[in-house]
Amino acid sequence: MGLWRTDGYGTVLAVDGQGLWEYQTTAISCLKGDFAGVAAEQGTYDADGVLLTLRPAADGEHARFSADSSVGHRRLRRVGALPAACTRPPSADPRTAFDVFWQTFEENYPFFAAKGVDWHAVRDRHRPLVHRDTTRAELFDLFSRMITPLHDAHVLVQDGGRHYGTGRPGTVLPTGELNDKVKKFVVDRDLQGARNRQDFAAGLLTYADLDHHLGYLRIATFDGYDPDDPSCTAQLAELDRALDTVLTPARTRSLRGLVIDLRINGGGSDALGIRIAERLTDTPYIAYSKRARNNPADPTRHTRPEPIPVTPAHAPRYTGPVALLTGGSTVSAGETFTQALIDRPGRTVRIGRATQGVFSDVMTRTLPDGMAVWLPNEEYLTRTGRTFDGSGIPPHIAEPVFTDEEFAKGRDSAFDRAVRLLGGGV
C-alpha cells in the first residue's frame, strides 16, 4: 500500500486495495498512466495479462518491482505524497505537449552521445515552430522529424492508428509479410528433404532434423505463442511444450549441432529468451546485466547493474555446439537472447550480420494531448561491461542475409555456412 517512486524510469506507483496506478513523471509533468488490478497472489497485479509484482523490504521503506514478461527488478522507495504536478490537469496547449515530449527524452534516453545527437539543439530548432494553434498532425510530423536522427527501432511516436519510427540505416525491420516470405524460402530451399519438420506456437517456431545429425530451430518472435491467451504464463507454457517435443533425450544424444535461426525476429519477451537459454546449458552462468538511467540531469548515471542468471532447466536440454543466425532484422528480445548466448558454456558461433541494436525494455509515455511516445532507458551489459546498442551484436562469421541477390539466385549463404561448420566442414 502507499506511494512508491522507482529508481530511474520516471515513475511513481500508487497502491491501494483496488490495485496499482502508474504516474509518469518528469521535472515538468505528471500524467496518470496504466492501471493494474489486484491478482490472486498478494502483492501481484494484473495489467492486461502481464503480472506485476511489488515486494516491500523488511524496513517498509523500500521494495522490488517486476513484470513477468521482463527480466530483472526495479528498486522502489516509499514517498509521502505525489508530485505536485500530479494534482493539476494537464494543459491542452501544444507547446506543453512539446515540452513534455522533449523532457521525457532528456531525462531517460541513454544514447544521445552514442548517436551523435545534440538534443538541446534539437529543441532549440523545433520549439519555435510550435504555437497555440499547432494541430496534432503538425505536432506528430514535428516529433517524427525530431526522432529520425536517432535511428532507434525502440523509439516511436503514435497518435491513434498513426505511428512513426525508424531503424538502423541499412537494415529492414521485421514485418509479418517479410516473415512469411522468408519462412517459405527457408522451407522450400533449406529444409527441402529435412525430416520431422514441425511448426509450434502458432507457426512462430519451426524445427526440423537436417542431415549429418544436425537440428534446425527457427524462432520468428518471442511473443504470440498462444494466440488465445496473451499472458506471459501462457507463452512460456506453449514454449515449454515445443521444447519438450523437440529436445527429446534420444534427439539430444544424437545431435552434433543445432542451427538457431533468428534472422527475422521481431522481439517480444526477454523471459522467453532466457527460458530457451536454460535449455541450452548444464552449467549456470550470467546472461547479461541490466541497468537504467536514473539521473535526469546526467546521462552517465545509472542504477546498479543487476545480473540476469541462466539456470539449467529441470527439463530436457541440449548442450552441444550451436550456430546462431542473425541479421539486421533480429530485433529487441531476439538480440537479448543473442546476448544471453555470448557466455554460454560450450560452442556458440554467430553467423550472418549484426543485429538491429535495440535491447532495452520500452518505456511507453502518454503526452498531455493524448499522443504516445516509446523510448528506451536501459542498457544490457556483457560480462566486460560492453553494450551493443546502436551497432548491434556482430557475427563471428559474416555472410549475406536475405539480400535481393540471395533471393534471386536461390542462395542462403548463412544457413549453408552454419551447416558446413557444424557438420565438420569450413
Side-chain angles (χ1 to χ4, degrees):
M1 299 295 181
L3 299 172
W4 303 88
R5 178 174 282 280
T6 58
D7 183 11
Y9 300 93
T11 302
V12 173
L13 302 176
V15 183
D16 60 21
Q18 302 302 310
L20 178 152
W21 279 104
E22 175 194 58
Y23 289 84
Q24 303 169 359
T25 69
T26 72
I28 63 169
S29 64
C30 176
L31 293 166
K32 203 170 190 178
D34 295 330
F35 172 77
V38 177
E41 183 182 354
Q42 185 176 6
T44 302
Y45 307 88
D46 188 338
D48 295 326
V50 176
L51 294 182
L52 309 175
T53 301
L54 192 154
R55 293 284 185 262
D59 63 6
E61 297 300 314
H62 298 85
R64 282 165 42 112
F65 182 70
S66 63
D68 67 345
S69 59
S70 185
V71 294
H73 302 82
R74 301 180 187 184
R75 298 178 180 89
L76 310 179
R77 62 178 176 82
R78 191 182 291 278
V79 293
L82 289 170
C86 298
T87 63
R88 300 190 296 266
S91 168
D93 193 313
R95 291 167 292 194
T96 300
F98 178 97
D99 291 340
V100 173
F101 174 87
W102 184 88
Q103 192 71 30
T104 298
F105 279 84
E106 169 71 5
E107 295 186 9
N108 295 288
Y109 191 72
F111 310 123
F112 288 125
K115 302 279 187 174
V117 173
D118 183 339
W119 193 236
H120 288 251
V122 171
R123 177 192 57 192
D124 295 344
R125 184 162 61 253
H126 291 91
R127 180 63 163 77
L129 304 177
V130 184
H131 48 81
R132 184 178 58 189
D133 299 320
T134 298
T135 67
R136 287 174 68 104
E138 290 170 336
L139 201 58
F140 180 94
D141 290 341
L142 184 142
F143 290 160
S144 299
R145 294 196 300 273
M146 291 171 69
I147 67 172
T148 294
L150 299 175
H151 296 295
D152 190 322
H154 270 176
V155 173
L156 186 80
V157 181
Q158 184 175 19
D159 187 11
R162 189 182 183 194
H163 57 85
Y164 175 82
T166 184
R168 178 163 60 82
T171 66
V172 177
L173 293 176
T175 63
E177 182 180 4
L178 178 60
N179 178 65
D180 292 344
K181 175 183 177 180
V182 167
K183 183 176 180 180
K184 183 179 187 306
F185 177 81
V186 167
V187 168
D188 291 347
R189 194 264 187 200
D190 300 334
L191 303 186
Q192 190 175 47
R195 302 171 307 283
N196 304 315
R197 181 170 69 84
Q198 291 179 271
D199 280 344
F200 304 93
L204 298 172
L205 304 176
T206 299
Y207 179 81
D209 287 317
L210 308 177
D211 291 338
H212 310 296
H213 299 285
L214 304 181
Y216 171 85
L217 176 64
R218 183 173 185 269
I219 306 172
T221 181
F222 287 96
D223 193 16
Y225 293 171
D226 184 342
D228 298 323
D229 186 344
S231 70
C232 187
T233 299
Q235 309 311 307
L236 288 167
E238 189 64 29
L239 175 60
D240 285 339
R241 281 192 287 272
L243 295 176
D244 287 344
T245 302
V246 168
L247 299 177
T248 63
R251 177 173 280 129
T252 56
R253 282 195 301 268
S254 65
L255 279 182
R256 293 178 54 189
L258 177 64
V259 180
I260 301 180
D261 192 347
L262 301 177
R263 288 174 294 175
I264 307 297
N265 186 289
S269 168
D270 292 343
L272 295 180
I274 292 295
R275 189 72 141 235
I276 299 175
E278 292 173 342
R279 296 293 195 108
L280 299 175
T281 183
D282 55 10
T283 304
Y285 69 98
I286 299 300
Y288 41 73
S289 295
K290 287 181 66 171
R291 69 181 185 182
R293 265 198 68 176
N294 71 342
N295 187 311
D298 185 352
T300 68
R301 298 280 297 278
H302 301 87
T303 58
R304 186 166 67 250
E306 179 181 4
I308 305 302
V310 176
T311 304
H314 297 294
R317 303 190 301 271
Y318 168 76
T319 61
V322 168
L324 192 65
L325 306 185
T326 68
S329 300
T330 308
V331 180
S332 193
E335 302 185 79
T336 65
F337 174 66
T338 299
Q339 188 165 350
L341 299 190
I342 288 177
D343 288 326
R344 170 183 174 261
R347 184 184 178 202
T348 304
V349 179
R350 299 186 301 275
I351 301 174
R353 288 288 187 260
T355 64
Q356 175 65 215
V358 291
F359 296 79
S360 172
D361 291 342
V362 175
M363 297 178 66
T364 302
R365 289 293 183 259
T366 303
L367 301 179
D369 61 358
M371 281 196 277
V373 60
W374 300 2
L375 70 158
N377 71 320
E378 299 170 333
E379 294 179 335
Y380 284 52
L381 309 176
T382 66
R383 176 170 44 83
T384 60
R386 179 178 179 181
T387 65
F388 296 98
D389 291 283
S391 64
I393 300 175
H396 295 110
I397 300 171
E399 292 286 358
V401 172
F402 301 133
T403 62
D404 290 342
E405 182 180 6
E406 292 264 297
F407 280 128
K409 295 185 177 181
R411 292 195 312 230
D412 192 347
S413 300
F415 175 87
D416 291 348
R417 187 67 175 269
V419 169
R420 290 199 305 272
L421 184 70
L422 293 176
V426 178

